[in-house]
Amino acid sequence: MAASASSAAKKAAKGASRTPVNRTIVEFDKDQELHAYREMLLIRRFEEKAGQLYGMGMIGGFCHLYIGQEAVVVGMQMASKDGDQVVTSYRDHGHMLACDMDPKGVMAELTGRKDGYSKGKGGSMHMFSREKNFFGGHGIVGAQVSIGTGLAFANQYRGNDNVSFIYMGDGASNQGQVYESFNMAKLWNLPAIYVIENNKYGMGTSVERSSSNTDLSQRGISFGIPGEQVDGMDVRAVMAAAERAIEWAREGKGPYILEMITYRYRGHSMSDPAKYRSKEEVQKMRNEHDPIEQVRQRLIDGGFASEDELKSIDKDIRAVVSNAADFAQSNPEPDESELWTDIYMPL
Amino acid sequence: MPIKVLMPALSPTMEEGNLAKWVKQEGDKVEIGDVIAEIETDKATMEVESVEEGTLGKIVVAEGAQGVKVNELIALILEEGEDASALDNVSTDAAPAAEEAPAAPASVPAEPKSEAPVTLPDVEDEPEVPEGTPMKTQTVREALRDGMVEEMRRDDDVFLMGEEVAQYQGAYKISQGMLDEFGERRVIDTPITEHGFTGLAAGAAMAGLRPIVEFMTFNFAMQAIDHIINSSAKTLYMSGGQIHNPIVFRGPNGAAARVAAQHSQDYTAWYSQVPGLVVVHPYSAADYKGLIKSAIRSDNPVVFLENEILYGHSFDVPDVDDFIVPLGKAKIARKGKDVTIVSFGMGMQHSLNAAEELAKEGIEAEVIDLRTIRPLDTETIIRSVIKTGRCVVVEEGWPQASTSSEVAFRVMDQAFDYLDAPVARVCGKDVPMPYASNLEKLALPTVAEVIGAVKAVTYTA
Ligand SMILES: Cc1ncc(C[n+]2csc(CCOP(=O)(O)OP(=O)(O)O)c2C)c(N)n1
Ligand SMILES: [Mg+2]
């Protein structure tokens, strides 16, 4: 007994079940490339601006930027359809923009103003849009995984064919409630797509230092949930994987796990000096894998857009972001009476 | 115009920092994302990335400068096409461009509530159940089930989930027969996974369904309390009113019989501290029925605390269609003029029994059943205390930061001038619940203790 148990343990040791990263892509047409380029660039410019406003003291508290990870949410959204829900952690600005929420409303929430999505009462980490089916913005690591499983439950209960995209970090994937959710999602075959954004660190702790098996795509194995590792820096690979997962879930086969191999360029939050990784590591990712640069190259090489056309897209996006920033700085703070509102619905 | 680079704030608390190093020098090209300088904050040395592109035109604050204020001008970047002459027009000796720190508000806006001071009513309140209403005798268990069943017939969005609620018919048989009537879609056995299924239910509620989450007992809800508070109670506020949480968390709470410390805690005070939650803890079968129906219909998260010992007790329940008891209203369970006893849940049994005994000695106690602990019906309490001048609070929970401390504060705050004696209370003892039969009895409130407290405040001991 003892002998077989220990050999089983060895088999399950680090990396033993590593699956090859799925780099299968479906080539994008011109419209798709341009769409992906715009969406990702909007997120990047928005986040840079948020960082700048933070530096000016216009944004307070914690502020977690999504720079580097743009291809994940953009690729996923490209495969989604109306009514599909999204829920994520506090690193949520990119997800909101990709859900088509108004950059002005998002930025105004970051600055704590009255026309922010939460009237200035939620801030960077807690924002929602019922209209756009974006269910937060959650500050408790892992909480969004159970909540998102509930969104999937609601789809099944109502008999619609929508799916829920449930994003979490590599760090979050070690929370107990993630496995409680996996179990229920498979037990009841809920249309839940779990997207683990593996950016290699949870704050300052690398995946190797936090996870007994670093192939996070296999975290659903004991529940019978299929999973795959995806090149999360290539928006085409993300979209192709999303389509596989969505088809699976919409057909009633239950949950699916996509581990997106990605990278965040900035610190965990604005106040993180990122001493736990080398500059070279960051630079290498930026130089060799940047999700936006990849699309940009393909647009040029494929003759889909000229440098000038791309410049003009850049300019448009800068204008959108700078309007959002102006709005977020000039919009008034919430009225003091808002202190006491939105605590209860009528009893 | 050259672009101004200002000293950035790099942590939630940073006010100034040191300019440790210029990574780019005057004349260097700068792309978006390039590190231009290193800055020492109160916590760490941080790299500053440029959010602009152009040429570093002028370094205004030299390397090594200490105590540079946030938002002070530190450099100028020339935009494409600009040459150094553009720098001449920019004044660099200006003091920090920092905004005035927002002044602390002169006063905090008052919590909106009815302004009228509480007084005695001119007329007797209408009884909640009109005289002559037909009644039937039911246990709390049956009343609770009937309430849920009626609401599930009424609204397809309502469903029940929890451990053993379906096939087993409920660990305490509350959901007897419900699986048969509503099927597996709406009466759902969960794995033993409180944290997970509570979060799942909170998510389903955000999507507009109306879950009833049964905890086998509330002791196990501690595994899930994050979702009850952080995900359910706070979301309406954090979403600026967009996402409400129509959900009921229910199950037995407090001491049962001889199940000791980990299975015998009263959570009333815990949940009642949280803005955004409604907290209900009924005593009579009629209130269990009428309040569970209101709880299910409410668009707020409701923590519905039950008592296992009471499940088997029988009471009169109005035999009418759709009997509803409103949330947030206390009930005068017994009228009296000499002392006000305030209680809820199992505490009501001790209080009513004590009132019965006291009446034999000529002391007429008014007994108020709070039923809803949050929002607390202060008005009913204060009215009664204005009349009696004396108040005793009875609860099974621990004394510190408890429901009784809150009631006592409100009575002192709003009826101080009417009090003829300090408020007294009878609580569970300040110990984990012991197992031994004699010790458990000692740990819980008794009728004798309630009588003792009443005698103390009426100076009749
Ligand atoms: C329950 C809980 N524990 C700890 C924290 C503090 N915390 C915030 S983010 C974070 C790291 C999470 O890393 P990961 O899940 O990989 O997401 P990433 O930040 O990389 O997107 C920690 C420990 C928290 N917010 N919630
Ligand atoms: Mg991470």
Side-chain angles (χ1 to χ4, degrees), chain A residues 171 196 235 247:
Chain A
I196 304 176
V235 66
E247 186 180 306

Side-chain angles (χ1 to χ4, degrees), chain B residues 288-334:
Chain B
Y288 272 96
K289 180 172 185 189
L291 283 163
I292 193 71
K293 284 164 66 75
S294 290
I296 294 167
R297 286 185 204 181
S298 175
D299 280 335
N300 296 290
V302 180
V303 172
F304 193 95
L305 302 162
E306 301 160 9
N307 185 288
E308 187 193 328
I309 296 166
L310 290 174
Y311 280 154
H313 286 208
S314 294
F315 295 83
D316 281 347
V317 178
D319 193 6
V320 295
D321 277 353
D322 207 17
F323 173 67
I324 286 275
V325 173
L327 298 170
K329 286 232 108 356
K331 175 172 80 179
I332 296 173
R334 180 190 174 112

Side-chain angles (χ1 to χ4, degrees), chain A residues 60-78:
Chain A
F62 294 129
C63 184
H64 309 85
L65 303 182
Y66 195 60
I67 298 177
Q69 302 180 214
E70 296 91 343
V72 178
V73 77
V74 169
M76 291 299 303
Q77 282 305 103
M78 285 178 77

Side-chain angles (χ1 to χ4, degrees), chain A residues 40-115:
Chain A
M40 292 196 288
L41 199 62
L42 173 65
I43 296 174
R44 178 142 321 166
R45 291 287 110 88
F46 183 95
E47 292 291 64
E48 286 162 353
K49 186 55 88 179
Q52 189 186 19
L53 294 182
Y54 191 93
M56 291 160 63
M58 302 294 299
I59 295 172
F62 294 129
C63 184
H64 309 85
L65 303 182
Y66 195 60
I67 298 177
Q69 302 180 214
E70 296 91 343
V72 178
V73 77
V74 169
M76 291 299 303
Q77 282 305 103
M78 285 178 77
S80 74
K81 73 167 194 180
D82 267 2
D84 292 346
Q85 304 104 333
V86 172
V87 67
T88 187
S89 69
Y90 45 83
R91 196 178 299 287
D92 55 357
H93 313 162
H95 300 73
M96 293 187 279
L97 297 175
C99 286
D100 200 27
M101 286 166 65
D102 181 359
K104 283 190 185 147
V106 179
M107 198 68 97
E109 188 60 38
L110 299 187
T111 54
R113 304 307 172 98
K114 82 182 232 306
D115 292 311

